[in-house]
Amino acid sequence: MNIILLGPPGAGKGTQAQRLVDERDMIQLSTGDMLRAAKDSGTEMGNRAAEVMARGDLVSDDIVIGLIREKLEAGGSGFIFDGFPRTLAQADALGELLEDVGQTLDTVIEMRVEDDVLVDRIVNRAEEAKAAGKPVRADDNAESLKVRLLAYYKQTSPLVGYYHAKGVLTGVDGLGSIDQVGMDIAAILDAD
Ligand code: AMP
């Protein structure tokens, strides 16, 4: 089973993806994590992407599609796409890539959370990281967050209609506790 977790920054996609990895042995494919890893290993692409990411804008479709292509061509199944696709072009490309490797997209779970809560969660995430002496994400600040939210509404939210039209979209209330949201997601996956 291959699924997409769709939702704005701070909706809890990464947290829920990690749960599914632990509980169901699925494979998390987070383009954000891949891009941060590319930056940490000092590749030219990573450094270029880092500037765009720090601003809160989207990295080019070609780069992220290439990252996902590499993972899918390496084989396996049970993918959780976390933070990908973020544009209609990426969504089309994902459909083609899955077809090329003989896989299907089973479910798209839209995690719905209000903007005020997103801002609070991200500001808290940055403060917690700072207090624990962990590195704070360069884009977890009020200014970048504004750009990230705008990018979500302008470029990514059309995917809600796109996947609804394909008959694969289900929404969950992302406002509940981590456990509650996890149970709602589990119920969707088990019903499939
Ligand atoms: P995330 O970790 O998913 O919040 O992503 C952090 C940042 O990485 C985003 O704000 C974008 O700059 C970039 N990014 C991650 N995934 C994508 C994607 N699918 N398309 C374009 N940019 C992306």
Side-chain angles (χ1 to χ4, degrees), residues 23-37:
E23 291 174 3
R24 296 181 183 240
D25 231 5
M26 294 180 77
I27 303 166
Q28 179 185 11
L29 295 183
S30 156
T31 39
D33 286 349
M34 293 176 210
L35 291 165
R36 282 183 288 275

Side-chain angles (χ1 to χ4, degrees), residues 164-178:
H164 175 70
K166 287 186 183 283
V168 289
L169 187 85
T170 314
V172 295
D173 178 359
L175 280 177
S177 66
I178 291 174

Side-chain angles (χ1 to χ4, degrees), residues 39-96:
K39 185 207 164 197
D40 291 344
S41 57
T43 64
E44 197 194 318
M45 179 275 275
N47 290 334
R48 261 187 292 134
E51 280 177 40
V52 179
M53 291 165 77
R55 276 203 310 269
D57 283 325
L58 294 189
V59 172
S60 78
D61 288 335
D62 286 354
I63 289 179
V64 292
I65 291 167
L67 290 169
I68 291 290
R69 175 184 291 119
E70 231 173 79
K71 299 285 182 189
L72 293 184
E73 286 177 350
S77 70
F79 295 110
I80 309 158
F81 297 97
D82 160 13
F84 179 91
R86 266 178 154 99
T87 63
L88 289 166
Q90 291 176 25
D92 280 338
L94 177 61
E96 285 167 23

Side-chain angles (χ1 to χ4, degrees), residues 5-179:
L5 294 182
L6 183 65
K13 302 184 295 293
T15 303
Q16 294 299 334
Q18 193 52 57
R19 262 180 91 105
L20 293 169
V21 170
D22 294 342
E23 291 174 3
R24 296 181 183 240
D25 231 5
M26 294 180 77
I27 303 166
Q28 179 185 11
L29 295 183
S30 156
T31 39
D33 286 349
M34 293 176 210
L35 291 165
R36 282 183 288 275
K39 185 207 164 197
D40 291 344
S41 57
T43 64
E44 197 194 318
M45 179 275 275
N47 290 334
R48 261 187 292 134
E51 280 177 40
V52 179
M53 291 165 77
R55 276 203 310 269
D57 283 325
L58 294 189
V59 172
S60 78
D61 288 335
D62 286 354
I63 289 179
V64 292
I65 291 167
L67 290 169
I68 291 290
R69 175 184 291 119
E70 231 173 79
K71 299 285 182 189
L72 293 184
E73 286 177 350
S77 70
F79 295 110
I80 309 158
F81 297 97
D82 160 13
F84 179 91
R86 266 178 154 99
T87 63
L88 289 166
Q90 291 176 25
D92 280 338
L94 177 61
E96 285 167 23
L97 286 174
L98 285 170
E99 204 178 316
D100 287 350
V101 294
Q103 302 257 350
T104 51
L105 176 64
D106 298 285
T107 304
V108 178
I109 298 175
E110 183 201 359
M111 301 180 63
R112 298 183 185 136
V113 178
E114 288 146 29
D115 278 8
D116 294 355
V117 178
L118 298 173
V119 176
D120 285 350
R121 282 187 184 177
I122 287 182
V123 169
N124 284 340
R125 175 164 82 186
E127 279 170 5
E128 275 170 24
K130 215 188 275 172
K134 291 190 189 154
V136 176
R137 276 177 53 161
D139 57 352
D140 273 356
N141 58 72
E143 204 180 323
S144 306
L145 185 55
K146 237 184 252 167
V147 182
R148 287 161 69 196
L149 281 175
L150 201 63
Y152 181 77
Y153 291 114
K154 268 171 87 170
Q155 290 165 278
T156 308
S157 68
L159 301 188
V160 172
Y162 177 97
Y163 285 120
H164 175 70
K166 287 186 183 283
V168 289
L169 187 85
T170 314
V172 295
D173 178 359
L175 280 177
S177 66
I178 291 174
D179 279 344

